[in-house]
Amino acid sequence: MTDAQPRPSAPLNETAYTLTIEETADRYAQAGFPRPTRRLQKYCARGDLECRKVDTEFGERYLITPESVDRHIAYIAETASASGRVPTRSAAPERAPEEDLILEQRPSAPLDALARPAAPEDRYVQQLETRLIEKDDEIRFLRSEVAMKNDQIKDHTERSREINHLIAGLQKMLTPLLGGSRDHTTHMETQSD
């Protein structure tokens, strides 16, 4: 089997996206590799086929370039011939030939070597899950901070109440002593006016 060819850059011409999923399924069937539409949608989602999602009256739909379909069919044919499988023109197989090849290699190859790089959507989901975990941790931290601040406010309020009681007690004790001098100062103020 040869090394995988790098994917060409996406066509800039919007008219290059001409095939629907159903037309693409017909091409795979004609090539001897029938595929269900769900698998073709997965090929689109993980970037095996050059495609665009377009909005229609009934939801989103993939439009695919014929060149990418031909390139992917050639890849499947190459994978199938490397594994000794012959394409069939019957109903869709349970697994794709490239999946059978991976299953045949599994006992001798470590799992990490067989792992396919994550699709952009998978990486995006992983990033979102990581961010959610980070946000949950931050929320827990902030809640503990709020609880600690509430305890501090409660303690300060209690101390303020105690201080107010002490000051009220001092005022009661000092009122008789200050009462005479207070009358004296107010009397002096009225005379100066």
Side-chain angles (χ1 to χ4, degrees), residues 8 41 46 51 59-60 67 81 101 111-112 117 124 135 153 155 160 169 183 187 190 192:
Q41 291 169 341
R46 71 181 189 201
C51 60
E60 291 182 325
E67 296 79 19
S81 66
L101 179 63
L111 291 177
D112 291 341
Y124 182 69
K135 296 298 177 191
I153 290 170
D155 291 342
S160 296
D183 292 339
H187 179 29
T190 54
S192 62

Side-chain angles (χ1 to χ4, degrees), residues 32-49:
F33 302 103
R35 298 289 188 266
T37 56
R38 181 68 189 125
R39 183 171 298 159
L40 296 175
Q41 291 169 341
K42 286 181 182 180
Y43 288 162
C44 289
R46 71 181 189 201
D48 292 340
L49 299 174

Side-chain angles (χ1 to χ4, degrees), residues 23-92:
E23 293 167 335
T24 303
D26 290 342
R27 281 192 174 216
Y28 277 88
Q30 289 170 359
F33 302 103
R35 298 289 188 266
T37 56
R38 181 68 189 125
R39 183 171 298 159
L40 296 175
Q41 291 169 341
K42 286 181 182 180
Y43 288 162
C44 289
R46 71 181 189 201
D48 292 340
L49 299 174
E50 291 177 28
C51 60
R52 297 270 163 109
K53 264 189 179 179
V54 294
D55 289 322
T56 67
E57 292 178 21
F58 306 107
E60 291 182 325
R61 213 182 152 115
Y62 284 108
L63 290 180
I64 306 162
T65 63
E67 296 79 19
S68 69
V69 172
D70 295 339
R71 200 170 36 251
H72 194 250
I73 289 172
Y75 168 75
I76 292 172
E78 181 181 332
T79 304
S81 66
S83 67
R85 296 181 138 260
V86 182
T88 61
R89 297 193 181 270
S90 62

Side-chain angles (χ1 to χ4, degrees), residues 77-132:
E78 181 181 332
T79 304
S81 66
S83 67
R85 296 181 138 260
V86 182
T88 61
R89 297 193 181 270
S90 62
E94 287 187 31
R95 307 188 219 41
E98 67 271 17
E99 293 169 345
D100 287 337
L101 179 63
I102 289 173
L103 290 174
E104 290 169 10
Q105 293 174 351
R106 190 162 282 171
S108 61
L111 291 177
D112 291 341
L114 295 175
R116 177 177 64 80
E121 292 82 12
D122 294 339
R123 284 187 298 241
Y124 182 69
V125 168
Q126 289 172 346
Q127 287 174 349
L128 287 176
E129 288 173 348
T130 303
R131 294 283 303 205
L132 281 173

Side-chain angles (χ1 to χ4, degrees), residues 149-160 162:
K149 295 298 178 192
N150 285 342
D151 289 342
Q152 289 175 348
I153 290 170
K154 185 173 126 184
D155 291 342
H156 287 294
T157 305
E158 196 172 312
R159 281 192 205 114
S160 296
E162 290 171 358

